């Protein structure tokens, strides 16, 4: 991250339109999710099942990855292993060149956003076209997505109208949602029909059969995974489920947690290639990019259980006020605050674990019961230890322990504090303190009173 969360958040908080857009959208999604979950009397049992399946997967991830590779190969697909973003991009570019593709259509782009695939393809002379409506809006606006599920949540329909008028050459376009959707559909249909190659992410991959699963609401995914001759799926290695039967659990948890629907309008499943229809080449790129490092942390590894539903974003009091761009990462919100620092290193995302009130709302709604506050506190501890902050804290605590060790010491410390605080007082508050600048920049510390309670009580007696 080039800028820290506090810096970016201050900019976002000054944008009143952004806060109105976020407040309306997240409140609507929260209400729909709550209603959909309440329909299921076994909702907590489903969450427990999802948690157990993900824990089992992560315990035996190596075995399931090998099983997936064998199943995909047996179905006519090709499996590639990518250690990092550079290697994954090189693999996809090589496939595009072999296919003679000058343009690719894309769906489920979060993982490819993580590795910067669009920029890499562009540098290689291949245009990448986002086909999800919200992703397309962000691409046309040259902006990073700000939400896992609703990437353009920060924009309202008037802003989208103005963007389409400018970038799609439609000066008379209205801000009616149906008109905006029709404009995007017309633009994309030509790309679908002309594309010789598609790139997708995936919600799940079934180790048992090599089946890839994509769920979406617009039908663009179905076009991407059936029309082009060559299909490439970039899959984070944690996105597996052991068996087809396990999809039963996750295909109930995911739509209710993400869009508040009983099921997604489009659920696409494909296994390898067939000679009669669909893509004639299928490539699966298994992406590590820091995930094995996360897996090695006994506390942090539960982060890899995430199914990208975004429920935690919609209930987070921090995200709903700052939006996703303040996180400076592809993965915003509470899940991003614990995933980004682990994938890219604590030094890169060191401010993100502190972008939380630790209220616990995220853990309450997580469909696979990731204890996000536990991981946040764990990462905060690691960051403090690596930067040496723990030593300063221990010294401060020892000083406080001495001062509170007896009434005489406390009285002397209070008298000294009342004298030393004077240069730092503004309107009866301490606005800045040496060594506590970061703390006092966002909090007002009351001044020590002129008389202590003990002195006041003594005088009364």
């Amino acid at each position: 991250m080039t800028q820290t969360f506090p810096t970016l958040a201050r900019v976002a908080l000054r944008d009143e339109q952004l806060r109105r857009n976020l407040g309306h959208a997240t409140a609507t999604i929260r209400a729909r999710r709550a209603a959909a979950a309440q329909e299921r009397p076994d909702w907590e049992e489903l969450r427990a099942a999802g948690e157990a399946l993900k824990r089992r997967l992560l315990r035996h991830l190596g075995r399931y990855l090998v099983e997936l590779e064998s199943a995909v190969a047996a179905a006519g697909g090709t499996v590639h292993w990518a250690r990092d973003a550079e290697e994954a991009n090189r693999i996809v570019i090589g496939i595009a060149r072999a296919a003679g593709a000058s343009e690719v259509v894309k769906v489920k782009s979060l993982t490819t956003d993580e590795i910067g695939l669009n920029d890499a393809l562009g540098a290689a002379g291949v245009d990448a076209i986002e086909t999800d409506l919200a992703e397309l809006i962000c691409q046309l606006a040259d902006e990073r997505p700000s939400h896992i599920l609703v990437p353009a949540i920060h924009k309202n329909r008037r802003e989208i109208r103005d963007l389409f008028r400018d970038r799609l050459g439609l000066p008379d376009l209205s801000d009616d949602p149906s008109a905006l959707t029709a404009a995007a559909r017309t633009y994309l249909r030509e790309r679908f029909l002309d594309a010789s190659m598609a790139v997708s992410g995936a919600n799940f991959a079934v180790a048992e059969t090599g089946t890839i699963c994509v769920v979406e609401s617009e039908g663009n995914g179905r076009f991407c995974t059936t029309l082009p001759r060559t299909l490439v799926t970039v899959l984070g290695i944690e996105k597996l489920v052991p068996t087809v039967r396990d999809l039963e659990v996750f295909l109930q948890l995911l739509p209710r947690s993400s869009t508040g629907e009983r099921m997604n309008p489009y659920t696409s499943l494909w296994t390898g290639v067939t000679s009669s229809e669909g893509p004639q080449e299928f490539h699966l790129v298994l992406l590590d990019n820091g995930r094995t490092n996360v897996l090695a942390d006994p506390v942090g590894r539960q982060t890899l259980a995430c199914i990208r539903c975004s429920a935690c974003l919609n209930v987070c009091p921090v995200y709903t006020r700052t939006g996703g761009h303040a996180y400076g990462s592809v993965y915003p919100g509470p899940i991003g605050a614990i995933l980004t620092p682990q994938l890219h290193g604590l030094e890169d995302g060191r401010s993100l674990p502190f972008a939380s009130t630790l209220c616990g709302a995220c853990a309450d709604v997580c469909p696979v019961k990731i204890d996000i506050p536990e991981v946040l506190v764990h990462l905060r501890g690691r960051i403090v230890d690596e930067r040496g902050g723990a030593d300063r804290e221990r010294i401060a605590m020892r000083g406080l322990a001495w001062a509170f060790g007896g009434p005489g010491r406390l009285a002397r410390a209070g008298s000294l504090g009342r004298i030393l605080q004077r240069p730092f007082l503004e309107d009866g508050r301490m606005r800045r303190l040496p060594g506590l600048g970061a703390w006092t920049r966002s909090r007002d510390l009351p001044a020590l009173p002129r008389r202590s309670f003990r002195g006041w009580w003594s005088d009364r007696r």
Side-chain angles (χ1 to χ4, degrees):
M1 291 177 62
T2 56
Q3 292 181 291
T4 63
F5 178 85
T7 301
L8 295 171
R10 277 192 287 272
V11 175
L13 288 170
R14 289 194 291 267
D15 189 336
E16 293 185 9
Q17 184 62 58
L18 171 67
R19 289 164 61 187
R20 281 195 294 270
N21 295 348
L22 287 169
H24 173 72
T26 55
T28 300
I29 298 172
R30 279 199 308 271
R32 292 181 61 180
R33 178 214 165 270
Q38 288 172 2
E39 288 182 350
R40 292 300 306 251
D42 61 345
W43 180 248
E44 289 305 315
E45 287 80 0
L46 277 171
R47 292 181 69 208
E51 178 191 25
L53 284 168
K54 279 295 187 178
R55 286 185 181 274
R56 186 178 77 183
L57 171 77
L58 294 177
R59 281 199 305 270
H60 307 291
L61 184 57
R63 173 164 63 85
Y64 287 125
L65 284 168
V66 172
E67 185 179 358
L68 175 69
E69 180 184 32
S70 298
V72 171
T78 303
V79 177
H80 309 262
W81 297 80
R83 284 181 289 264
D84 54 26
E86 182 180 356
E87 189 169 5
N89 289 335
R90 188 166 62 247
I91 290 168
V92 178
I93 290 170
I95 296 169
R97 286 174 173 163
S102 60
E103 184 176 277
V104 301
V105 288
K106 296 180 64 208
V107 63
K108 284 288 172 185
S109 294
L110 200 57
T111 304
T112 61
D113 288 343
E114 175 190 326
I115 62 175
L117 179 61
N118 287 9
D119 290 339
L121 285 171
V126 180
D127 292 332
I129 308 298
E130 298 291 351
T131 66
D132 176 88
L133 176 58
E135 291 276 3
L136 174 64
I137 291 167
C138 292
Q139 185 178 42
L140 292 175
D142 196 23
E143 294 176 354
R144 187 195 297 270
S146 63
H147 191 278
I148 290 174
L149 178 70
V150 194
I153 196 173
H154 56 286
K155 289 190 175 296
N156 60 35
R157 64 186 188 181
R158 289 179 294 279
E159 293 171 314
I160 296 169
R161 175 204 61 195
D162 294 342
L163 176 67
F164 281 10
R165 283 178 173 180
D166 179 51
R167 299 303 300 274
L168 301 184
L170 301 170
D172 299 323
L173 184 66
S174 75
D175 64 1
D176 180 73
S178 61
L180 297 174
T181 304
R185 182 182 297 118
T186 300
Y187 171 79
L188 289 173
R189 283 292 168 90
E190 296 179 8
R191 273 72 191 173
F192 287 133
L193 295 172
D194 292 341
S196 61
M197 175 172 159
V199 176
S200 84
N203 294 99
F204 308 103
V206 181
E208 176 186 45
T209 61
T211 301
I212 308 300
C213 176
V214 164
V215 297
E216 40 104 8
S217 300
E218 300 172 21
N220 59 304
R222 190 69 56 83
F223 278 112
C224 286
T225 58
T226 56
L227 290 179
R229 188 180 189 283
T230 302
L231 173 60
V232 181
T233 295
V234 181
L235 182 80
I237 57 173
E238 81 282 14
K239 294 285 191 68
L240 276 61
V241 296
T243 69
V244 172
R245 186 175 180 179
D246 299 327
L247 287 176
E248 177 188 357
V249 173
F250 294 108
L251 292 181
Q252 294 181 80
L253 287 171
L254 180 57
R256 284 177 165 83
S257 297
S258 56
T259 58
E261 298 171 291
R262 297 183 182 93
M263 64 182 294
N264 289 93
Y266 296 90
T267 299
S268 299
L269 301 166
W270 69 93
T271 306
V273 297
T274 60
S275 58
S276 59
E277 59 185 4
Q280 297 303 293
E281 286 186 37
F282 172 60
H283 298 265
L284 177 63
V285 181
L286 293 173
L287 177 69
D288 186 333
N289 204 35
R291 285 161 173 79
T292 52
N293 294 331
V294 183
L295 192 65
D297 186 334
V299 178
R301 71 170 60 134
Q302 60 183 298
T303 308
L304 296 178
C306 175
I307 61 173
R308 307 293 193 268
C309 70
S310 75
C312 61
L313 281 69
N314 301 322
V315 299
C316 177
V318 177
Y319 174 87
T320 55
R321 287 158 179 79
T322 65
H325 292 154
Y327 291 80
S329 165
V330 170
Y331 302 107
I335 191 63
I338 62 174
L339 182 59
T340 300
Q342 293 188 87
L343 287 180
H344 304 304
L346 294 180
E347 185 58 33
D348 184 51
R350 65 184 182 275
S351 66
L352 293 180
F354 299 91
S356 170
T357 64
L358 299 180
C359 68
C362 50
D364 289 341
V365 299
C366 178
V368 290
K369 295 191 173 185
I370 301 171
D371 193 342
I372 294 177
E374 178 187 36
V375 183
L376 286 168
V377 172
H378 170 67
L379 293 178
R380 291 180 184 188
R382 285 179 53 189
I383 291 168
V384 170
D385 287 342
E386 289 184 11
R387 299 180 68 186
D391 294 335
R392 294 192 297 272
E393 184 176 328
R394 276 191 287 270
I395 292 170
M397 289 298 119
R398 285 172 184 157
L400 288 172
W402 179 88
F404 282 93
R409 295 179 188 177
L410 184 60
R412 290 195 295 274
S415 298
L416 182 61
R418 278 186 280 276
I419 296 172
L420 296 179
Q421 71 178 351
R422 292 171 184 168
F424 309 106
L425 291 178
E426 295 179 22
D427 301 323
R429 299 272 176 169
M430 284 184 271
R431 308 291 189 187
R432 51 187 176 81
L433 285 176
L436 291 174
W439 195 87
T440 51
R441 272 198 301 271
S442 55
R443 300 169 180 84
D444 292 335
L445 187 64
L448 293 172
R450 295 179 180 178
R451 300 175 62 201
S452 68
F453 175 80
R454 286 179 178 275
W456 173 84
W457 184 256
S458 177
D459 292 345
R460 283 182 61 87
R461 297 184 63 182

